[in-house]
Amino acid sequence: MSGPFDSLREQLLGAADALAGGPAALPEILAGMVDDVDHALREPLEIFPVCHHSPASALAMARRLREKQPKVIYLELCEDLAPLLTELRNCRLPVALQAFASELDGFPKESAPLSVVAPITEASAEYQAVAYALETPGVELVLVDRSTDHVFQWQPGASSQKDEDDLHGDAVGVEIGDLRPRFAELEEHLLHHGRVRHWSEWWDQYVEQPLAGADHETYRQVMVMVGSLFRRLAPHDTRRYATDEDRERYMWTRIREHLAATGADRADCLYICGAFHAASRVAEAGSEPGTPDFEITGRTATTWLYGLIPSSHSAIEAQFGLAPGSVSIAAATWQKSLLRTGVRPFSLSAKKSTRKKAPAPVTAGGPVTDQLSGYLSGPPALDGLDEEELRGWCVDIVRLARRNGYLASTADAIAVFETSVLLAGMRGRRRPTPYDFQDAAITCIEKETVPGRRDVRRLCEILLGGDRIGQVGYDSLPPLARDVYDRLAPLGLNLGQRTIQRALLDLAARPELAACSRLLWMLRYLLPDHAVRPIMGSRRLGAKPIQESWDLDIGRHQRTIIELGYEGVTVEQVLEQRLRRAAWDPKATAATALKAVEDSLLFLTSPRLTDELGVRAVELLAAERTVDEAPAVLRRIRRLMAHYRATEPVLPGWCERFVTEGYAHYCTLLPTAFVDEDTGVRQVGAMLGFLFSMESLALSLGCDRTQLELAVRQSHPETPAKTSLLWAARHQLGDLPLPDLRVRVDELLANPLVVPAFPQYVSGFVQALEPVPRLAPFVVETLSKAFGRLPDPVLLPWLPTLITTLKSQAAELVPVLTREAGRTFPGSLPAIDEWTPPWQSRPAPTRPHQPSAAGSLAAGRVGRPGGSQGDSLVAGPGGSLVAGPGGSLVAGPGGSLVAGPGGSPVFALLAAHQRTPDAVTALLSCEGDWAEPAEPDPNAPVRALLSTHPEPGETVLTLLTT
């Protein structure tokens, strides 16, 4: 059977035969392309092939809709996005239709959230179809592509590239007419022979411009042929190609179901799809009754939420791999084509149109005629040089360049003009395209450096249309977003403006702005950093703000506010869900839960939620097997307990449980943490800080101090830093007095084998300030001794390590050391020469004494000749007086009285001034008399010891005599 394309088929086959040595598949490909065009045009249901964001497709669509006036339009777009289309009336394009799912059922949980976007611009065929259908009474718009749920069921994330732009995030893009070669070699071949740099420029030169003024039949045949070419040259063994065919089966099945359900006449219908899908030859393609249907699987139980988000030209370019500036150039080409051709586009008005459809005959499908032969054989219709347009571009780019710091002049404008014409001629075209002009401007204006933020390429994009950014209208926003705008209205700012605005809140003069402040802090927690940024003011537990200053950039972050509306109805509800999700996350820790508790106190007034989060923190702490986050736990629980003690009469129950559980938990893990190489000194110091600072409360709640003492005794660290930390813990428990600790440090400094490791001991003592803050004077003393005694080969390499360690691990302890050093060292430089360190001027006790209970007082007789060993008075711990050996009193450190040897000059001094000892004896209710002291007996202490404990002496005597 002969057809309208027989002649073209024969010409192409003859050309294939004439190519000697050509590929064997070439005749099949060329003939197949003609067959695909013939097959698509024979379909009773008119197929309208388009390319995404193509001005030529939009012009052809506007013409065809006014000519045909179809009653039913089948559009290649996710079928569950249909309810969003009416909301486009309230938006400023470009915007994107979005489907969003955060709680998944049927998909991997780790892939949440899932998001699908479909951008819409004015210069797109789908917008013309949507505007026509919504503005014309009696027209039905049916979306026939797979649902958003099926997008991830079939090929998650592979149907389109993901966008890293802020406006679309990591959403999967869905577009009509993904028309691009899928062989890199083919695209490279086309770019090389077309003398262009990227695909967008090739498409503009060889498809967009020639088809801008083409009639309907020529447009259809050329687009189907291009789609067939890319389809036949695409790799058929890929998953993407299989998904494309399944999409075609899906769409044709939905079309036949609608035709059967409504009985619509196919002559009154129009099917709009990508040119790639228009050339489909799958068995399920076609509207004829009896065509086999495609089995469509059901959706998962995932709940999808729908809305509109702002989009932009740059976001669309990044999402679909287009050249930067190509969508802006397409928008400028669309506006210019409308002026040149006089085509009246369709658009959505803010109010639904009530005009009646003008009666007009529907163009019936006539016989198909061959338009391809003439189009392919004839020379391209080249536009002549539009000097006025090019001259305006050159003048404007020089003006923009001067505003952005370039030293451009009129000579540069002339050079750009001439270079544009030259480049166009070299590339085989008479009229310079925007891409030729852009290359010429970069060559002539941009030198070696960019003086400002924008280079010449970006300035050209701004000149030719700019990065237009859409906005969703108030009426189309979700309830949460509208609530945010309403609650921030008292600030008196235009929140839809895409600039940073300064909000000043004088909460003392205008208390009603406190609600705005609270909302801004919640948005600060939920939105990206630059959307809501505090300049002055803070949100802390127990603090009442007086004045605040904010930088608000809500207009450019409208998308994030809209997506918050997918999670809840109010900001408070979303925040509560976020806090619960963080606390009950599988990877949550006790520190994470405590942070959620603090955030709930800061932003929400919900004691029930706070208690639930606190109980969760107790559970997580009891289940932890590591102490990696002990510093964060200690810092947060201290802050929370201080808040509750200042604001509540009693601590909440979960807080008491946290202390008792933490006390037992850290006591259990302490010996292991001391020897574990993976546990740092900071973590062990935080554990001890928790145990010592919470000890009084834990003991009052029933904990046993013996557990802590046993844990410390069972700890045997191997590293110097942890060893010094253990010494500090023993000192806190009273097991290692400060003089003994000082002796150990002096022994370390005196040992040449230990000196190289002494800096590590010092690091441990610094970390010990967390659990034992009263060691600050001793740490200053130790540091001073280290700087004074360590040799330079040890000290100099250690200094950078000490500084970085203090900065990263003990930054909060540095002020403690600084204050203590300020109290210890002299305040002026001359005073240093005469200054003696207090640890060097402190006199040592003449004789060790036996410890006694602090604060006790034992009486004895003063200086009685021949008295017993218990007749004298000595200073005991805590400033008490106890009986000691000898028969005299001497002055000790701090004004105390200690025993001195009999017959010493001190006794003579006291005998000369008897009123003072008499007053002491009267105070102690003791009796005594004054007499000359007997000669001192140097063996008296030994004799007294042997008389008190005779067993060792008798044993030694027995050994010596046998």
Side-chain angles (χ1 to χ4, degrees), residues 399-411:
R399 184 184 299 113
L400 272 178
R402 291 181 63 85
R403 290 178 183 173
N404 286 269
Y406 288 92
L407 299 178
S409 62
T410 305

Side-chain angles (χ1 to χ4, degrees), residues 495-541:
L495 300 179
Q497 189 173 346
R498 296 188 59 83
T499 56
I500 297 178
Q501 301 180 76
R502 178 64 56 87
L504 302 176
L505 283 70
D506 189 352
L507 302 177
R510 298 184 60 187
E512 68 274 9
L513 294 181
C516 295
S517 170
R518 182 166 166 268
L519 177 60
L520 288 175
W521 283 111
M522 287 189 287
L523 292 176
R524 168 70 175 173
Y525 181 88
L526 296 171
L527 297 181
D529 292 338
H530 297 292
V532 177
R533 185 164 58 95
I535 303 302
M536 181 182 67
S538 61
R539 189 84 171 178
R540 299 190 308 272
L541 291 176

Side-chain angles (χ1 to χ4, degrees), residues 101-114 162 170 585-587:
S102 57
E103 298 181 0
L104 307 184
D105 187 352
F107 297 106
K109 300 295 183 182
E110 59 273 10
S111 60
L114 300 180
K162 286 190 176 183
D170 57 354
D585 188 88
K587 297 181 180 180

